[in-house]
Amino acid sequence: MTSRRTLTRAVAVAVAVAVAVAVAVAAGATALAGCSVQSSSTTTSTPTSSGTTSATGSTTPSASASASPTGPLRFGTVAPGVTASTIKIGIIYPDYASLAIYHININQGSFPEAYGAQIAKINAAGGIDGRKIVPVYAKFSLLNPAASTQTCVQLTADDGVFAVLGTFESDTQALCYAQTHKTAVIGSTPSNADFALEQAPWFALDHGADDAPSAIAAMSAGGRLTGKKVAVIALQQDAVTLDQGVIPALKGEGITPVATAVMTASTSDSTALGSEVAVAVQKFQSVGANVVIVVGGMAPEYGPVETKTTYRPQLLFTSASDVTAGLFGVKPDPTVYKNALAADIVTNYNDPANLACVATMEAAYPALKGKLVNPTSVPAGKPTLATSVDDACAELALFSDIAAKAGKDLNYGTFYQAGTTLGKVHIPSYSQDADFTATTPAGGLSDSLYTFSPTSSSFIAQGS
């Protein structure tokens, strides 16, 4: 099975492309930009309502965390949304209904119902250290960043939640909570640079772009890259990952790329970006690269350009989630992806802990019985109703584990201390145990290899 974030990433790419095309057509505008290509021999919308809904009518003002630099007092003793008997948490989810104007129909199930069913089960068992979870649900716009910020302000300044969980569109969105409004976060795909900006505890289950060294290690294992001429391509937004993650990791394996390329055009301008990628492909071919490593968000953009050429190096993607997103709803050229590999965290929908959450959801909503199936087995364009359950199960498990370890004296200081000393813990649907320490706030999960399946036109974890 793929990573949990695959479908979410695929949806994000589909939305971005559809909206960008619609906007470009409406404006009649196109633009061209340049790219930076180096070889080893040279130096070179419409606003939508955010709509928060609380299980209670009370609100608590958001508090600012104190500035203690390290240890359990790093974030002080502030505890917004916490009483002797309750913990108020915010749960965000995308407003997919607003995408209908772009003919994008997405149904990942009801996020309020999915989280609500699991929370009801936790509360029925006594809550967390005697405190019942009080959820505040808030949908956010995928089309209007201002509306997304409004949701952030509502949950923090107006509703005063202790922590925010859910489906984050980006790390920028998560930073509105963890940095700007000093509210704890569970989720998103933060990098080390993101974590350095936190002003409240932030824990996740995916380390985003910083997974690149783990991906390179998985790809080069068994001498796969020995004797190969390797080229690397990345978007400008992943340039730091390229320079500080991928290149050092390759050199650590004894590999010096014969060429590198950083694309400067925006992913919203397919014409300009396609032109840049075409230049990079020509360069890679001219220097004889027989392996191309495609970094992070570049994955959805690279294959379609190579399809227009006769150049067929082996492709290695640092993120199976990102390349799967690029294949979402399309039929790729199998010759481009022949022998392609990708790396990512592996999950297992049939994990007993995840299936227990599915059973809880079915018990709460009997009409769903038999309809909550592995989202990756659902044909493109059909509802993936279990996606919301999968997300709720994993994130609530992590939040509950940390809050329970923090104990009766729950505040940002004790929550941070508990999360950074949580150690090894099983998170529903994850194939390996996470390990939460001060240096691994995203659980320290390592990447595994995925291979391209021409039958399903997707990347499948080896051994699945």
Side-chain angles (χ1 to χ4, degrees):
M1 184 180 166
T2 66
S3 162
R4 286 177 63 245
R5 63 185 169 138
T6 298
L7 288 177
T8 300
R9 171 64 181 149
V11 166
V13 170
V15 169
V17 170
V19 173
V21 169
V23 171
V25 169
T30 57
L32 292 176
C35 70
S36 169
V37 182
Q38 301 178 344
S39 69
S40 59
S41 60
T42 62
T43 305
T44 61
S45 77
T46 302
T48 53
S49 172
S50 58
T52 61
T53 305
S54 175
T56 69
S58 62
T59 59
T60 304
S62 179
S64 296
S66 65
S68 299
T70 59
L73 297 180
R74 177 180 179 188
F75 298 114
T77 59
V78 296
V82 175
T83 70
S85 59
T86 62
I87 313 170
K88 188 188 295 186
I89 64 172
I91 295 166
I92 64 171
Y93 59 98
D95 180 13
Y96 289 135
S98 66
L99 304 179
I101 61 173
Y102 294 111
H103 306 291
I104 300 174
N105 298 305
I106 299 168
N107 184 357
Q108 295 183 338
S110 169
F111 286 89
E113 289 179 359
Y115 279 87
Q118 309 309 322
I119 289 171
K121 182 177 180 180
I122 293 170
N123 287 344
I128 301 174
D129 239 323
R131 291 187 176 94
K132 300 295 179 68
I133 298 176
V134 178
V136 183
Y137 300 101
K139 60 185 177 182
F140 64 87
S141 173
L142 287 162
L143 305 177
N144 185 358
S148 183
T149 300
Q150 180 188 1
T151 299
C152 172
V153 172
Q154 253 183 293
L155 287 174
T156 57
D158 297 340
D159 294 315
V161 300
F162 178 79
V164 177
L165 292 66
T167 303
F168 292 85
E169 179 190 10
S170 66
D171 298 342
T172 299
Q173 183 189 30
L175 282 168
C176 179
Y177 298 95
Q179 181 188 27
T180 306
H181 291 276
K182 302 179 175 65
T183 300
V185 167
I186 299 290
S188 192
T189 57
S191 63
N192 286 328
D194 294 323
F195 279 126
L197 298 174
E198 65 180 6
Q199 296 296 311
W202 186 359
F203 299 98
L205 289 163
D206 192 323
H207 214 172
D210 289 332
D211 282 339
S214 176
I216 297 300
M219 292 171 180
S220 63
R224 290 185 185 89
L225 300 180
T226 302
K228 300 295 180 68
K229 290 186 175 182
V230 177
V232 188
I233 187 169
L235 295 171
Q236 182 66 53
Q237 67 196 46
D238 292 323
V240 173
T241 299
L242 173 67
D243 293 338
Q244 299 180 12
V246 175
I247 299 301
L250 285 171
K251 289 185 176 180
E253 300 288 340
I255 299 162
T256 299
V258 295
T260 62
V262 176
M263 306 294 99
T264 59
S266 169
T267 54
S268 64
D269 190 340
S270 58
T271 300
L273 184 56
S275 296
E276 287 192 69
V277 177
V279 172
V281 167
Q282 291 174 357
K283 180 65 176 180
F284 295 167
Q285 186 170 17
S286 70
V287 298
N290 50 20
V291 170
V292 174
I293 295 178
V294 186
V295 180
M298 187 67 236
E301 319 298 336
Y302 185 84
V305 175
E306 194 178 281
T307 297
K308 301 174 184 178
T309 74
T310 58
Y311 181 48
R312 292 294 182 269
Q314 182 184 21
L315 301 183
L316 305 181
F317 298 90
T318 63
S319 169
S321 301
D322 284 317
V323 66
T324 299
L327 302 177
F328 188 67
V330 302
K331 186 71 174 177
D333 182 343
T335 67
V336 170
Y337 295 94
K338 183 180 180 180
N339 300 319
L341 296 175
D344 221 318
I345 297 167
V346 178
T347 57
N348 175 19
Y349 180 81
N350 293 317
D351 171 28
N354 188 61
L355 293 181
C357 287
V358 172
T360 296
M361 186 67 172
E362 290 178 337
Y365 300 95
L368 291 175
K369 192 169 183 63
K371 298 179 181 179
L372 299 176
V373 299
N374 184 345
T376 61
S377 69
V378 177
K382 299 297 183 181
T384 57
L385 302 179
T387 300
S388 52
V389 180
D390 191 20
D391 287 354
C393 188
E395 290 172 7
L396 283 169
L398 178 56
F399 174 78
S400 298
D401 284 346
I402 297 174
K405 184 167 184 178
K408 287 284 187 182
D409 186 20
L410 178 62
N411 55 57
Y412 281 166
T414 59
F415 190 77
Y416 178 76
Q417 176 72 356
T420 55
T421 60
L422 190 62
K424 289 193 174 182
V425 61
H426 178 68
I427 302 297
S429 82
Y430 281 78
S431 297
Q432 58 178 299
D433 287 347
D435 187 9
F436 287 90
T437 70
T439 58
T440 57
L445 296 161
S446 60
D447 285 342
S448 296
L449 280 182
Y450 288 63
T451 54
F452 179 71
S453 168
T455 302
S456 63
S457 295
S458 63
F459 281 79
I460 307 297
Q462 291 186 352
S464 297

